[in-house]
Amino acid sequence: MTRIPTLSAYERSLDAMAQRRAALAQDQLQLSTGKRVNSPSDDPLAAAQAERIRSQLARISTENRMIGFARQMLSQAENTMGTVVDALQFARESVVAAGNGALSSSDRALIGQQLSGVRDQLLSLANQSDGAGGYVFGGQGTTDVPFDAATGAPNGPPAAAPNVGEQATGLDVSYTTSQNGRAIFVDHAAAGGPKTIFQTLDDLVALIGDPATSAADLSAGLKDALGGIDSALDRVSLARTRAGEQLRAIDSYQQVLESGELDARGRLSDLVDVDYADAISRFQNNRTTLEAAMTAYGQIARMTLFNYL
Amino acid sequence: MAGLLGIGQSALMAAYAQLQTTGHNIANASTPGYSVQEAQFATAGGRSTGGGFLGMGVNLVTVQRRYDRFLTAELASSTAAAAADQARTTQLDRLQQVFADTDNGVGAAIDDLNAALADVVNRPSDASARQVVVQRADILAQRIQSADSRMRELGAGADEQIAQAADHVNDLLDQFAALNERIAQVNGSGQAPNDLLDQRDQVLLQLNGYLKVTAIEQDDGTMNLFASGGEGLLVGTRAAKLVVGTDPADASKQRLVLQQGASSLPMTAASFGGGSIAGLMRFRDEDLAAARTALSTLAQRVAQGYNDQQALGVLADGSPGQPMFAFTDGVLVSELQSGAALATGYAVTSQVTGTNSGDVSVTQFSVDDASIADLRKPVTIRFNGDGTFDVTGDGTGNPTGQPYQAGSPISFNGWTITLRGTPQAGDTVEIVPNASPGTDNRNARAMVALSGKPADGGAPYTDAYAAMLADVGSRAQSATASRAASEGLLSSAKAAQAEVTGVNLDEEAARLMQYQQMYQAAAKVIQAAQSMFDTLLSATSR
């Protein structure tokens, strides 16, 4: 027969109750924080995976910031290039109009003024700020406006006007945030060496504005200018198409990121979030058991032979 | 009649002794370590008469405690095991709290630094974006510092607890020696001093709470005590002393030395085998040391990674980037004083010549070694019509006829360029000094990429942190599990021992009744003897 000493009987039931209370406290913590894993030892593997997913989400958010910025810059560049195309089209029409032999010299002077205005508009578009401390056509690494505000010559050394490339952003991908203005506004294949579209228009305006210009010179000048404008249109259209393509690529990449984020959040929730139905039933279970243990303790503690002596 | 009176008296005395024992048991029902006592009786023998042996009553032989040497030894050893697990678990629980808040942890600080660097990639010339990087770098260093200093505090706390435990052990050894002495004094009587033995067992149990002690009983009733490594803690009445000293191998660490007279013996973790001292030492020397090493390795890698990347870049004025962090004596400090000190750009840049007739373009350009003196020297890559290229420029050795393959990297002077497209004869790509590195974002981009793909080839920083988290977590988890197991063993050892030695009040109540009745019966025997004597007296009084 097992002897149950009085003291150890009390201690054992107190121990059992203390354990049950600890289990209840754990259930309560889970229910109040909504998390199954509240400290790494609750589930070390899940805690480590949760930390990895937290970091993954942070990377996704960083990537989103970067490509979000690229999207902003690219759509700005695309709009600006649209305006550049419009201005170039207008310049082209003006040049064609200037070729009309029936025009009076005052009419031609008017066209010269229009072209001068278009040239200034193009230069200010080429030097447009991106609203983020840089320039839409600044390319990689320029502090100054891309083109001289007066002459329209490419700014910054080397003066030979090579490409300065484009500035890009992105963690796992690369999208342009600043267009290479020299590749758009400078005709590197021009007969007399690299020539900006501003210079082309300047030359034309000077030609038209000079009453001494012969008809043959005018005709040749207009032809040259038309060629310059057409090649500029080609280059800006190419750059615009590339910007548009990148914008589309950003759209689909953002969807990839979004679904990746959704997936990561789902996995994070599976790892660390509490299953309420499960937690509540465990809580109820532990509560019932604790109550039963207390009732039993109270009744057994009252039972002693001394009551009958 | 005298015989009957004697028998009655012996029964009365026996019942009284038993009632006293029962009373003592009831009184000590809640005394820790008390073993229930029982009075042992034997018949007083018989007197031979012609008509057979006439019994002479009852004698009290001894008062015995209910005791089982093996159960007591098992209780002591399971107490030592449980105390070790308990101490280690408590400490590990505190340790894991250092890393529990991952939203404000070291990993999050690394990611925050990256997010700030990403803003600099977007807007390299924006002073406020650069300032955020300065703050985030500082926060990262502080997070690591604070985790490390919390761990240092835990180590200091463990040292203090070990020192306190050593003090208690010394007190208990003195008490044990005193009890040994008293037990030896009464040993000659042939009767066991039950209460002294209980007290000594209790002291032994308390000792096992601090370290695992092996007790060996001697012929004179005393017990000699030995630690797990066989070190003599107490021999006869001479108790040794645990003294805290510094480890001669590492002055920053403390160790325990066992002093016995003039000799002193250094104690290792193995010498303790159990008890809270063993648990604390295991925590301090294994668990805490591993976590501190992991954090310090991570801090060092982070410092090295960002510093190396800084060194590859240049500031707005073209001067090379200075270290972002300083890692000395295990402490990480941010050295980035201002946003301008962030080396976002490269010293050189690549340019595709505008008059090229082919469509060659640059897909990748990076600086991999800024220590080469010719890094900033202009270099021209000129393509030939036969699918090869010539290189001209200081430091390149001006190689000619190099085979060109789109997408394969070309490296000279510490930079690497990757080209694509089909070049035509005479096309050139130039590497020239960067005119305005302050607005260049390429090195900043490399910094953002760094944490996910460290240059040292190791795991990404946040993954290394997650692995560390898992290690601390699983140590805490397995310690908790072994504590649950050792507590289970302890409570069954307690129950097994109590089953033998504990006081059961119902049992005592029954005995109380039983011996009260015996006492009454014995009194009746005396009364009968007296009334017989009276009868005899009155019959002979005439």
Side-chain angles (χ1 to χ4, degrees):
Chain A
M1 188 194 67
T2 316
R3 273 182 85 244
I4 308 291
T6 312
L7 180 61
S8 88
Y10 283 135
E11 278 178 352
R12 266 204 265 184
S13 28
L14 281 174
D15 275 358
M17 277 190 271
Q19 274 174 18
R20 206 51 74 178
R21 271 204 187 280
L24 265 180
Q26 179 72 15
D27 293 342
Q28 196 195 1
L29 180 69
Q30 290 192 357
L31 283 171
S32 58
T33 59
K35 288 200 184 308
R36 184 178 65 83
V37 180
N38 285 292
S39 55
S41 69
D42 291 341
D43 187 343
L45 201 67
Q49 278 177 344
E51 168 65 7
R52 285 204 177 90
I53 294 174
R54 190 204 53 69
S55 184
Q56 188 190 346
L57 285 168
R59 275 178 79 82
I60 289 175
S61 137
T62 297
E63 184 80 302
N64 258 323
R65 268 175 106 94
M66 291 171 112
I67 64 169
F69 180 78
R71 169 204 281 280
Q72 206 182 317
M73 294 299 117
L74 280 166
S75 55
Q76 193 180 358
E78 213 227 349
N79 285 336
T80 309
M81 285 190 277
T83 316
V84 168
V85 167
D86 288 349
L88 285 171
Q89 296 282 13
F90 181 74
R92 195 177 194 285
E93 281 160 23
S94 302
V95 172
V96 172
N100 187 344
L103 286 180
S104 68
S105 64
S106 65
D107 286 344
R108 205 160 275 142
L110 198 67
I111 290 176
Q113 277 174 20
Q114 278 176 353
L115 282 169
S116 175
V118 170
R119 180 263 187 207
D120 289 349
Q121 188 199 354
L122 279 171
L123 182 55
S124 77
L125 284 171
N127 282 339
Q128 192 175 331
S129 153
D130 66 3
Y135 297 93
V136 173
F137 298 104
Q140 174 67 273
T142 49
T143 41
D144 218 346
V145 285
F147 299 94
D148 187 278
T151 66
N155 252 334
N163 281 321
V164 289
E166 291 171 338
Q167 193 158 72
T169 191
L171 200 58
D172 295 325
V173 289
S174 193
Y175 294 114
T176 307
T177 55
S178 181
Q179 301 289 324
N180 179 5
R182 294 184 195 194
I184 295 170
F185 295 102
V186 182
D187 185 358
H188 292 281
K195 191 177 184 187
T196 62
I197 183 70
F198 321 114
Q199 189 61 49
T200 305
L201 291 175
D202 275 345
D203 290 354
L204 182 63
V205 168
L207 197 71
I208 291 174
D210 187 353
T213 306
S214 68
D217 281 354
L218 182 66
S219 159
L222 287 172
K223 192 165 166 271
D224 278 356
L226 218 52
I229 290 170
D230 282 349
S231 86
L233 269 170
D234 282 351
R235 290 191 307 273
V236 74
S237 299
L238 180 70
R240 199 181 168 195
T241 309
R242 283 182 49 212
E245 275 167 9
Q246 291 198 63
L247 279 169
R248 267 191 298 284
I250 287 176
D251 275 348
S252 71
Y253 188 56
Q254 269 182 333
Q255 279 174 8
V256 170
L257 287 181
E258 259 169 44
S259 71
E261 185 179 343
L262 214 63
D263 178 51
R265 288 202 188 284
R267 275 185 295 140
L268 188 61
S269 169
D270 287 348
L271 280 171
V272 299
D273 285 356
V274 78
D275 175 350
Y276 275 99
D278 180 52
I280 289 170
S281 89
R282 248 184 304 123
F283 181 80
Q284 290 288 7
N285 213 344
N286 281 326
R287 210 190 70 174
T288 313
T289 321
L290 178 60
E291 278 172 0
M294 283 172 158
T295 312
Y297 179 82
Q299 292 190 354
I300 287 172
R302 274 200 299 274
M303 286 218 323
T304 161
L305 189 54
F306 284 104
N307 291 339
Y308 303 95
L309 295 187
Chain B
M1 274 166 295
L4 187 59
L5 204 60
I7 290 172
Q9 200 185 359
S10 78
L12 200 68
M13 291 313 292
Y16 186 62
Q18 185 63 62
L19 280 170
Q20 258 189 308
T21 307
T22 303
H24 189 54
N25 286 342
I26 291 171
N28 287 295
S30 299
T31 306
Y34 178 77
S35 306
V36 72
Q37 295 179 9
E38 287 167 336
Q40 296 282 320
F41 299 104
T43 164
R47 182 164 48 87
S48 169
T49 66
F53 284 86
L54 280 180
M56 295 196 302
V58 65
N59 278 340
L60 174 65
V61 179
T62 186
V63 178
Q64 213 176 27
R65 62 174 182 149
R66 289 180 58 145
Y67 175 76
D68 184 317
R69 173 203 299 261
F70 297 105
L71 291 178
T72 305
E74 198 178 315
L75 178 60
S77 75
S78 52
T79 298
D85 287 338
Q86 171 70 42
R88 178 168 173 243
T89 307
T90 309
Q91 297 292 320
L92 271 169
D93 212 43
R94 286 199 196 130
L95 175 62
Q96 69 160 340
Q97 292 310 322
V98 175
F99 303 102
D101 183 5
T102 48
D103 288 342
N104 296 299
V106 173
I110 292 171
D111 288 329
D112 286 350
L113 172 61
N114 269 330
L117 280 168
D119 284 348
V120 172
V121 170
N122 288 345
R123 297 168 158 87
S125 50
D126 185 344
S128 58
R130 284 168 175 262
Q131 188 54 39
V132 176
V133 172
V134 173
Q135 284 155 1
R136 298 274 169 88
D138 203 35
I139 289 172
L140 171 58
Q142 280 172 16
R143 291 263 170 88
I144 292 180
Q145 271 172 36
S146 109
D148 188 58
S149 74
R150 283 174 74 184
M151 287 198 280
R152 274 176 211 259
E153 280 163 23
L154 282 175
D159 277 347
E160 205 176 302
Q161 285 189 43
I162 290 172
Q164 279 174 5
D167 279 352
H168 288 162
V169 167
N170 292 337
D171 282 352
L172 290 169
L173 285 175
D174 287 343
Q175 285 179 37
F176 200 94
L179 285 164
N180 255 352
E181 206 174 332
R182 287 173 64 191
I183 288 165
Q185 280 166 5
V186 298
N187 190 50
S189 72
Q191 298 286 3
N194 296 323
D195 296 289
L196 285 178
L197 292 175
D198 276 350
Q199 275 180 41
R200 194 178 62 179
D201 285 345
Q202 192 61 18
V203 172
L204 182 60
L205 208 58
Q206 285 175 8
L207 270 171
N208 271 284
Y210 298 111
L211 76 170
K212 189 170 159 54
V213 174
T214 311
I216 296 181
E217 195 161 0
Q218 305 298 302
D219 290 342
D220 63 353
T222 62
M223 271 180 169
N224 290 348
L225 301 181
F226 300 92
S228 292
E231 298 87 348
L233 296 170
L234 187 147
V235 179
T237 54
R238 289 183 58 219
K241 242 182 170 34
L242 280 177
V243 181
V244 176
T246 49
D247 191 337
D250 181 355
S252 69
K253 277 174 129 183
Q254 102 177 9
R255 67 167 187 178
L256 290 177
V257 175
L258 189 68
Q259 281 187 347
Q260 170 72 274
S263 80
S264 64
L265 199 62
M267 301 283 278
T268 62
S271 311
F272 292 101
S276 64
I277 296 180
L280 288 165
M281 281 177 108
R282 178 159 178 214
F283 166 75
R284 186 189 67 186
D285 300 340
E286 290 177 26
D287 305 321
L288 187 64
R292 285 193 64 190
T293 306
L295 185 68
S296 133
T297 306
L298 177 63
Q300 194 173 10
R301 285 183 64 205
V302 166
Q304 190 75 47
Y306 284 103
N307 290 352
D308 287 352
Q309 199 62 52
Q310 270 280 99
L312 292 178
V314 288
L315 311 187
D317 62 3
S319 63
Q322 298 303 309
M324 194 187 279
F325 296 106
F327 183 76
T328 40
D329 296 333
V331 178
L332 190 72
V333 181
S334 171
E335 294 275 275
L336 202 61
Q337 301 299 338
S338 69
L342 193 65
T344 59
Y346 288 142
V348 283
T349 191
S350 60
Q351 299 179 336
V352 177
T353 308
T355 49
N356 282 354
S357 42
D359 62 350
V360 68
S361 64
V362 181
T363 55
Q364 182 91 36
F365 183 84
S366 62
V367 171
D368 316 307
D369 185 353
S371 68
I372 293 175
D374 288 328
L375 173 68
R376 295 166 193 238
K377 292 287 165 58
V379 172
T380 303
I381 298 172
R382 184 179 301 278
F383 292 95
N384 305 315
D386 58 356
T388 63
F389 62 87
D390 302 342
V391 180
T392 49
D394 291 350
T396 61
N398 301 331
T400 56
Q402 303 286 307
Y404 167 73
Q405 200 187 349
S408 58
I410 301 165
S411 296
F412 287 100
N413 291 355
W415 47 256
T416 298
I417 192 170
T418 310
L419 301 169
R420 72 169 167 210
T422 315
Q424 300 294 320
D427 285 358
T428 56
V429 173
E430 290 182 82
I431 284 78
V432 294
N434 191 351
S436 47
T439 57
D440 182 1
N441 70 355
R442 290 170 301 168
N443 198 42
R445 262 186 97 187
M447 272 185 214
V448 178
L450 184 69
S451 75
K453 208 176 174 188
D456 61 11
Y461 300 144
T462 49
D463 277 12
Y465 182 69
M468 178 181 162
L469 206 69
D471 183 56
V472 171
S474 52
R475 279 171 190 272
Q477 191 191 37
S478 75
T480 308
S482 65
R483 177 183 66 175
S486 64
E487 273 180 352
L489 285 176
L490 174 62
S491 87
S492 60
K494 262 187 189 164
Q497 202 232 15
E499 206 177 301
V500 174
T501 66
V503 177
N504 180 324
L505 286 175
D506 292 341
E507 214 172 74
E508 301 306 322
R511 288 215 180 120
L512 206 57
M513 272 193 290
Q514 183 189 348
Y515 294 107
Q516 238 176 328
Q517 281 173 4
M518 175 175 163
Y519 189 88
Q520 284 164 353
K524 280 283 178 205
V525 172
I526 293 170
Q527 196 185 15
Q530 191 190 3
S531 91
M532 279 160 68
F533 188 67
D534 284 350
T535 309
L536 198 60
L537 219 57
S538 63
T540 55
S541 65
R542 283 224 196 152

